[in-house]
Amino acid sequence: MKERSNYEKMLNEEEYMPDQELADLAYECSKGLLYINSHPARDPERQEFLENFFGSIGSRVTIKGNFNCDYGKNIYIDDGTIINCNVTILDTNKVTIGKDVFIAPGVVISAATHPLNAERRVTRHFQSHPITIKDRAWIGANATILTGVTIGKNAVVAAGAVVTKDVPDNCLVGGVPARVIKEIQEAVKECHETDDIIEKYGL
């Protein structure tokens, strides 16, 4: 039986080591990012380029400038999603983003991680786990979504939060590490205007 490549190990959530195949994929991605970040978000040719750059991308998707990722091909984006400026997605594993998701400026989504054991870490052993952001979630500015996390439908992640565990559907989370503040319906009852929600919960 043929041994899995490091790329296959990476996607299979096993420890892997960087090799020439991964370096070549990262290099091709970096060239693609130069094109993406040098063209306006609404440029039709850029939109066509994104269809080939990502694993898949739906209709009415907006990706603003200074976007960064590792490979691009492991990112799957559904219809109507907006990714604002200065967003980084470390897609060393599958990153799935649902319909009508809002991702604010400065967000980091990292499928990548390292061993806690220093010897294995410094000898360049890596690991990664898939991330899923479900439909209509809102990720606030400068939030960080860490490896293996699932963000539920309609969930809201407050600005600056660090999400280390799964977020349930219809919940507002915030803090470092992020914790559930309350269910969305309860929060909306208390804050009738969007500005009130932003002020109270730091979105």
Side-chain angles (χ1 to χ4, degrees):
M1 182 177 175
K2 184 181 177 182
E3 184 180 356
R4 279 193 286 265
S5 69
N6 279 294
Y7 182 75
E8 290 169 331
K9 289 178 181 178
M10 181 179 77
L11 294 181
N12 203 47
E13 302 182 65
E14 301 172 31
E15 278 197 0
Y16 68 95
M17 299 182 73
D19 60 10
Q20 191 59 50
E21 179 188 16
L22 290 172
D24 291 344
L25 289 171
Y27 177 67
E28 289 302 313
C29 178
S30 67
K31 291 196 297 183
L33 291 170
L34 287 174
Y35 178 85
I36 291 166
N37 291 319
S38 63
H39 289 73
R42 296 294 184 184
D43 186 324
E45 291 184 3
R46 181 181 187 266
Q47 291 295 108
E48 184 177 346
F49 182 86
L50 291 175
E51 291 175 8
N52 296 311
F53 181 78
F54 292 118
S56 68
I57 185 170
S59 63
R60 301 176 291 103
V61 172
T62 299
I63 298 176
K64 295 191 177 180
N66 201 24
F67 174 79
N68 285 286
C69 62
D70 281 326
Y71 301 109
K73 62 189 293 185
N74 299 324
I75 300 172
Y76 300 80
I77 307 170
D78 214 331
D79 302 339
T81 284
I82 300 173
I83 298 178
N84 218 309
C85 55
N86 302 314
V87 169
T88 296
I89 301 178
L90 303 183
D91 61 317
T92 54
N93 212 303
K94 188 175 181 180
V95 176
T96 305
I97 302 172
K99 293 181 180 179
D100 299 312
V101 172
F102 288 9
I103 299 179
V107 168
V108 173
I109 300 168
S110 178
T113 187
H114 303 279
L116 291 177
N117 181 288
E119 292 300 322
R120 296 189 70 75
R121 189 165 62 247
V122 300
T123 52
R124 300 299 185 266
H125 287 81
F126 296 86
Q127 199 167 5
S128 65
H129 308 285
I131 291 173
T132 300
I133 302 175
K134 295 185 178 180
D135 297 350
R136 297 185 302 276
W138 174 17
I139 314 300
N142 298 309
T144 300
I145 312 300
L146 294 183
T147 185
V149 163
T150 294
I151 307 295
K153 289 183 179 181
N154 307 314
V156 178
V157 176
V162 177
V163 184
T164 61
K165 296 180 180 179
D166 291 353
V167 175
D169 295 349
N170 304 302
C171 281
L172 169 66
V173 302
V176 181
R179 60 179 180 80
V180 174
I181 296 172
K182 58 181 59 184
E183 293 185 6
I184 295 292
Q185 288 182 340
E186 186 180 348
V188 171
K189 285 179 184 177
E190 292 182 4
C191 306
H192 297 291
E193 301 293 336
T194 300
D195 289 346
D196 293 338
I197 298 175
I198 293 170
E199 181 177 354
K200 185 167 185 177
Y201 297 111
L203 301 175

